[in-house]
Amino acid sequence: NFKLLLIDDAPHSEYSNAVHALVHSLHMTAHCQFLQQQTNEEMVKHYLQADIVIMIPKSDGTPVSAIEAMLAKKPVILGNLNYDSDLFNDNTIWKLTSFDSEELTDTIMRIIDDSGKNNRMQKIQTAYENALRSANMEESLSQITQLYTKMYYS
């Protein structure tokens, strides 16, 4: 039994239309909910209710939403893009090697398989600790940016 929440930041785009069509063709509409732009508070609620957070973008910098999911102590599956290896590595996330649906399915099954529970819990805890360090660093960088912006425009 599952429910898939899909955050659709670009409704009616070619990509969004293709995902909607795929969900419909697979007869999964009862299990999928498409959500448009969410507030930070709404996203936190989604992370806390989730069993697994999956992000498979075609391009991305540092995926802040993955850090947020790590802070919510949720298993995170990321696509095969190159991310900051100090934060996103084999000890903190489950990383796909391709955009293959079978690999994604296998990864989800490995996460929910109870035989690997200790490993999963250790990975989630390590991810949480790394995200805490990153979140503090990002806050510091934000404060420095604000300071320099004020100095520049004063």
Side-chain angles (χ1 to χ4, degrees):
N1 191 11
F2 70 93
K3 177 130 191 175
L4 183 62
L5 295 181
L6 299 160
I7 308 299
D8 190 358
D9 288 338
H12 310 297
S13 69
E14 183 178 334
Y15 178 77
S16 176
N17 291 339
V19 172
H20 279 268
L22 179 62
V23 167
H24 183 71
S25 73
L26 295 173
H27 307 287
M28 292 180 50
T29 53
H31 296 287
C32 296
Q33 181 179 358
F34 287 88
L35 304 172
Q36 293 186 6
Q37 192 69 35
Q38 300 288 290
T39 66
N40 290 340
E41 292 80 15
E42 290 168 327
M43 287 304 298
V44 168
K45 287 178 187 176
H46 296 311
Y47 293 135
L48 293 174
Q49 293 174 350
D51 292 315
I52 301 172
V53 175
I54 303 169
M55 298 179 53
I56 310 175
K58 295 283 186 181
S59 66
D60 204 348
T62 298
V64 174
S65 48
I67 296 170
E68 293 168 344
M70 292 160 74
L71 289 169
K73 294 189 173 184
K74 300 300 174 176
V76 175
I77 299 174
L78 288 179
N80 63 346
L81 300 177
N82 292 323
Y83 297 107
D84 176 355
S85 61
D86 289 334
L87 186 56
F88 305 107
N89 58 60
D90 289 341
N91 296 318
T92 60
I93 62 157
W94 287 261
K95 187 173 180 182
L96 302 176
T97 60
S98 68
F99 289 105
D100 180 62
S101 61
E102 286 184 34
E103 181 185 7
L104 175 59
T105 302
D106 290 344
T107 303
I108 292 169
M109 295 308 294
R110 276 197 325 273
I111 291 172
I112 62 176
D113 180 16
D114 275 341
S115 67
K117 184 175 181 178
N118 289 338
N119 180 42
R120 179 179 67 238
M121 298 309 293
Q122 179 59 46
K123 188 177 275 200
I124 291 168
Q125 184 61 34
T126 301
Y128 172 76
E129 291 167 6
N130 281 9
L132 271 180
R133 283 192 293 274
S134 174
N136 292 338
M137 182 181 70
E138 288 182 8
E139 177 63 28
S140 298
L141 290 174
S142 174
Q143 291 173 357
I144 291 169
T145 301
Q146 290 174 4
L147 174 65
Y148 278 102
T149 301
K150 278 185 182 178
M151 290 171 49
Y152 180 78
Y153 290 109
S154 295

